Amino acid sequence: MNDEFKTLQKFDAGNGREGFFHSLPELGRQGVGKISRLPISIRIVLESVLRNCDGKKVRGKDVETLASWDAKKPANEEIPFVVARIVLQDFTGVPLVVDLAAMRSAVKRIGGDPGIIEPLVPVDLVVDHSVQVDFFGSAEALRLNLEMEFKRNRERYQFLKWGQQAFKTFQLIPPGIGIVHQVNLEYLAKGVLSQKAELGGQRSEIFYPDTLVGTDSHTTMINGLGVVGWGVGGIEAEAGMLGQPVYFLTPEVVGVHLSGRLKEGVTATDLVLHITQMLRAQKVVGKFVEFYGEGAASLPVPDRATIGNMSPEYGATIGYFPVDGESVNYLRATGRSDVQCGAFENYFRAQQMFGMPRQGEIDYSVDLELDLGQVQPGVAGPKRPQDRINLPELGQTFRTLLQKPVKDGGYGKENVDLATKHPVQLNGSAPQDGDMPGIDPGEELNKAEMVTNRPTPDPAKDLKGADPFRHGESKIGHGSVLIAAITSCTNTSNPSVMLAAGLLARKAVERGMRVDPAVKTSLAPGSRVVSDYLTKTGLQPYLDQLGFNLVGYGCTTCIGNSGPLHPKIEKAIHDYDLVAASVLSGNRNFEARVHQNIKANFLMSPPLVVAFALAGRVDLDLTKEPIGKDKNGKDTFLRDLWPSLKEVRDAMQSALTPEVFRKLYRDFANQNPKWNEIPSSTGEIYQWDEKSDYIHEPPFFKDFSMEVGKIENIVGARALGIFGDSVTTDHISPAGAIKASSPAGQYLMSRGIKPEDFNSYGSRRGNDLVMTRGTFANVRIKNLMMPGTEGGVTIHYPDGTQMSIFDAAMLYQKENVPLVILAGHEYGTGSSRDWAAKGTRLLGVKAVIAASFERIHRSNLVGMGVLPLQFPEGTNAQTLNLNGSEIFAVSGLSDSIDPGKTVTLGIERKAGERDSVPVRLRIDTPIEIDYYRHGGILQFVLRQLLGK
């Protein structure tokens, strides 16, 4: 047992149990830093560093550096953070399990014991990303969507079932249970964990805080419970699973002092949108944010979790709330045992970390103030979550953006009459062909394919006799609401806003109000507990009458799994080039993320989603203009329908009991018979099937040996692509539908797969042959080597031939030519997506040279053995007049390079003249040098495990 600093002490773990812990107050007494002045989030990381200090992975120096954290000038040192557990969702989880299976195969090939490849910390994978809203607005929607999901994802699910039995520390929560972050909050999180250990020849129990990383950027939702955790790329999660620390630079911690209380009529969603706008403006990217003060203490855990959830939207690594009485109450209310709750509270008390800090008690890098009483009802959009709009101003803002030029962030529709509406007849069933109706891949209007993780582009035509669409007549125009989704763990984990939506629906139904048939309505909560309380309170039938029937328990619309719109609606959008709207209670609204044909997407609270569904348009001021007419033809306003705080509280009292959580969170296999019907293979080695187009052994360990590579200069390189600012992981990494004309589509057809069975890139993440062909293949990406074009195309030099990025990369590989990517600011923003880095590596790209990088994508590139380099301020491909015809070299690279040093980018132009530019090596930490030298983090870890 490590105890270099002699901090191991006894404490009362409650319920007659004696426990041991690594005491931070004791570390303080030894004079190693002013522990009691440190932010709570830093102390929790410090405890992990202290407990795992073994002189190798974690050194005594790491403990001292973090214990003496300087708020105003944090040390430029990386922290080795060993987390207690890992959470995964299925889209990012499948490739991780594929890599673990490939590592086992590699170990077997070189005669080792495959059993050494085993997650060393508990791993929970929640299947939540694969359900799509094909069917909606009916009592059958849930069953039919689940049927479609199982049909589409059978091969992936067979593979995950193999993983479930092959790895001891791997728990799988099957489809139809909930969304990973809500399941984490309501069930997986323990607050404090313990491990059996031998101390002085006696069996003892050592306690430590629950900490985690997850392969989804909204893992930060758990920060609301006082648990430190955040989203990482799949590549870092794999390292964490295999016992490697997650490394990150010592952060600044922004303290947000909350005072006052929320006003009547203001929801937790309004608060989080306010905080997102405020913190985006404060530039908190890469920093920890810690909320404290009496305002923070007054917020219940679900409100705190909503704020933690949107950390990626305000750019922070975490949005943390310290542990207090509310945290313990929440664990108890959600059915955790008294033993667990007692240990949680007593542990934090023993560490002197229990209770919400007050102003002046802790040193923060920056202090910000927020009076909760100042927060107004609002929405965010239409393209970014930080663009908050006060509710009364939405109509005016939408009208202004509609006419504003595209280059200024508007829609460029001059002289439009918003009163113009186009009739659509909603009848007939789903179209029979596989692709979206009435769309050509080359068509101008189809450039919006920027949807992540959509399980499939095909409407639910496979279920004979079932019609996914509503019938009736409607009129649509600019600003029409065509999707209204109560979706996403961000809000569905919060009973107050969910009950408010139900109460608002009840008042609307009682007045005889209806939702227009053109609006695709859906309710997809993050856990079955929501359905339980909406049923118990008698509110679900009212939501059903407005079309908000339960469609599934999963991410759905929030990640772009909104499913198809009626073909006649799609056609009207195309024919009249309409800027239609979606309203959703999600966390992201980048263009075309929600649905590729809907350009304006607004985030809002669940009750406002119901209100805007009833209004049917966003170009109005709901605080003054009527939502619609009641059954007597009388104007009805939002104020007539909005529930009071008392009504919401009364509903909550009757609805939530710990027993419900205990009942719904056990024996998952028997609660989902469909899951049990899926057959799967057994054994510790996966039997790769060459016939499978979902699961394929990746080439990362093909010629694996114990021999470590050398770091060398890059010479004679060509540009595979030159990109502008804000290229997201959605652009880089395969996402959404696979086009028949794309390299991945051509490949699948060559394997005898029809376009209607392509499924999506997301669902084929376990197959590198599909994913590599999809890298940089987004139809919206603009390669500046070919001005005026969009999509994954480039020019192969020196012959100047135009071809797909994949074909060019393969040709360069034949010619032994290394490749580089050139890009602008914020390269790699958006969801962490491991394939954005894996695909880049498999295309043969050796270096990405950008004006700036997003945190996770930069570390993922290094993790895959790709070199990130940063232009000096004010320099980019445009200022250097690069067009892609140049030959590039990177010099100054060797085995002895240091993190962050300057190296030289050499440029040889077509005419022969040469330039050179200093660029900064964005390998930020010493361990990353090791990863890069080994050819990537997985090779590094595998050699370490075999070396033992």
Side-chain angles (χ1 to χ4, degrees), residues 154-334:
R154 191 177 174 87
E155 265 185 72
R156 296 170 64 235
Y157 290 175
Q158 281 174 337
F159 173 68
L160 285 175
K161 268 188 119 165
W162 168 81
Q164 197 176 7
Q165 61 79 47
F167 300 104
K168 298 184 194 73
T169 44
F170 176 67
Q171 172 179 234
L172 193 136
I173 293 177
I177 302 294
I179 300 175
V180 60
H181 310 306
Q182 192 160 343
V183 172
N184 192 15
L185 189 68
E186 294 178 352
Y187 171 66
L188 298 173
K190 305 281 186 281
V192 68
L193 302 168
S194 66
Q195 225 168 7
K196 301 275 186 274
E198 285 275 328
L199 291 178
Q202 294 220 310
R203 298 284 292 151
S204 309
E205 209 174 352
I206 293 183
F207 286 77
Y208 51 95
D210 184 1
T211 57
L212 69 151
V213 287
T215 54
D216 190 279
S217 45
H218 297 97
T219 301
T220 49
M221 181 156 188
I222 204 64
N223 301 162
L225 187 59
V227 173
V228 168
W230 61 85
V232 293
I235 295 156
E236 293 148 295
E238 271 170 85
M241 273 158 68
L242 297 167
Q244 290 299 301
V246 173
Y247 290 90
F248 66 106
L249 278 170
T250 312
E252 286 183 34
V253 182
V254 176
V256 181
H257 179 252
L258 301 180
S259 59
R261 299 222 161 200
L262 293 176
K263 292 198 301 251
E264 175 91 32
V266 174
T267 63
T269 318
D270 298 321
L271 172 57
V272 74
L273 296 178
H274 183 104
I275 286 173
T276 300
Q277 180 187 41
M278 165 181 155
L279 293 181
R280 258 293 159 192
Q282 291 289 339
K283 305 227 181 330
V284 297
V285 172
K287 299 175 186 178
F288 280 16
V289 170
E290 191 163 296
F291 298 93
Y292 70 102
E294 52 284 5
S298 77
L299 294 173
V301 166
D303 289 11
R304 298 176 187 184
T306 295
I307 293 164
N309 176 289
M310 284 189 72
S311 298
E313 281 65 49
Y314 42 86
T317 303
I318 61 175
Y320 183 79
F321 284 82
V323 173
D324 63 358
E326 277 293 332
S327 323
V328 182
N329 293 345
Y330 181 81
L331 277 194
R332 200 163 270 125
T334 47

Side-chain angles (χ1 to χ4, degrees), residues 662-870:
R662 286 192 204 114
K663 183 183 91 198
L664 292 176
Y665 280 115
R666 62 161 192 243
D667 193 15
F668 297 121
N670 290 337
Q671 299 191 18
N672 194 336
K674 283 195 115 43
W675 182 252
N676 298 338
E677 290 162 16
I678 287 186
S680 85
S681 62
T682 55
E684 63 176 5
I685 298 285
Y686 185 67
Q687 304 305 315
W688 302 101
D689 178 2
E690 279 306 313
K691 293 200 289 290
S692 171
D693 288 296
Y694 281 94
I695 307 294
H696 181 263
E697 184 174 7
F700 305 126
F701 310 105
K702 210 189 225 138
D703 306 313
F704 180 81
S705 75
M706 292 301 283
E707 199 65 35
V708 182
K710 280 190 163 41
I711 296 179
E712 293 171 329
N713 289 335
I714 298 169
V715 290
R718 292 281 186 182
L720 185 60
I722 300 178
F723 303 108
D725 291 342
S726 301
V727 168
T728 67
T729 47
D730 286 339
H731 286 109
I732 304 163
S733 170
I738 300 172
K739 293 271 170 255
S741 55
S742 69
Q746 297 285 308
Y747 167 74
L748 288 172
M749 288 198 294
S750 78
R751 302 269 299 174
I753 296 169
K754 298 193 194 76
E756 59 264 32
D757 297 321
F758 279 178
N759 216 321
S760 68
Y761 283 116
S763 65
R764 294 191 187 267
R765 272 185 186 170
N767 184 346
D768 58 283
L769 300 172
V770 174
M771 299 305 282
T772 308
R773 285 171 168 80
T775 306
F776 296 110
N778 186 306
V779 300
R780 270 265 160 123
I781 198 164
K782 296 181 177 68
N783 183 357
L784 305 178
M785 288 167 64
M786 297 180 63
T789 63
E790 287 191 317
V793 286
T794 193
I795 298 176
H796 175 271
Y797 284 101
D799 53 358
T801 314
Q802 294 191 13
M803 57 182 77
S804 76
I805 282 181
F806 175 77
D807 290 342
M810 294 305 106
L811 190 50
Y812 281 128
Q813 269 181 35
K814 275 205 193 87
E815 299 163 351
N816 279 325
V817 174
L819 299 171
V820 297
I821 293 283
L822 301 159
H825 280 287
E826 293 181 354
Y827 182 76
T829 48
S831 303
S832 70
R833 203 151 309 138
D834 52 350
W835 268 109
K838 286 179 171 174
T840 301
R841 152 86 186 267
L842 292 179
L843 287 174
V845 173
K846 300 292 183 225
V848 176
I849 309 142
S852 66
F853 290 91
E854 192 277 334
R855 176 180 73 89
I856 294 178
H857 186 60
R858 183 209 62 78
S859 78
N860 279 352
L861 287 170
V862 179
M864 287 317 299
V866 178
L867 195 65
L869 299 168
Q870 192 159 324

Side-chain angles (χ1 to χ4, degrees), residues 471-532:
H471 293 207
E473 285 183 17
S474 183
K475 289 184 171 168
I476 64 171
H478 294 302
S480 288
V481 172
L482 298 182
I483 290 178
I486 300 177
T487 177
S488 172
C489 53
T490 309
N491 286 295
T492 68
S493 59
N494 198 326
S496 65
V497 290
M498 296 302 285
L499 290 163
L503 290 163
L504 191 144
R506 182 171 76 190
K507 294 183 183 197
V509 169
E510 285 168 349
R511 286 167 179 262
M513 298 178 78
R514 284 278 171 268
V515 171
D516 188 283
V519 186
K520 183 168 188 175
T521 42
S522 62
L523 166 65
S527 111
R528 297 173 305 164
V529 173
V530 178
S531 294
D532 185 89

Side-chain angles (χ1 to χ4, degrees), residues 224 327 369 463 559 615 721:
S327 323
E369 285 286 335
L463 292 178
I559 57 164

Side-chain angles (χ1 to χ4, degrees), residues 47-68:
E47 187 281 337
S48 164
V49 177
L50 176 65
R51 178 169 35 89
N52 291 288
C53 179
D54 60 0
K56 289 198 292 289
K57 274 192 303 221
V58 182
R59 302 157 306 172
K61 176 176 158 287
D62 297 318
V63 176
E64 289 158 6
T65 304
L66 189 56
S68 50

Side-chain angles (χ1 to χ4, degrees), residues 6 41 88 138 158 195 222 237 316 350 385 393 423 499 554 559 582 635 670 692 694 717 737 777 823 856 893 908 945:
K6 304 286 176 280
S41 50
L88 313 171
S138 82
Q158 281 174 337
Q195 225 168 7
I222 204 64
E393 287 144 34
L499 290 163
I559 57 164
S582 77
D635 280 349
N670 290 337
S692 171
Y694 281 94
I856 294 178
L893 300 174
E908 185 186 327
L945 290 170

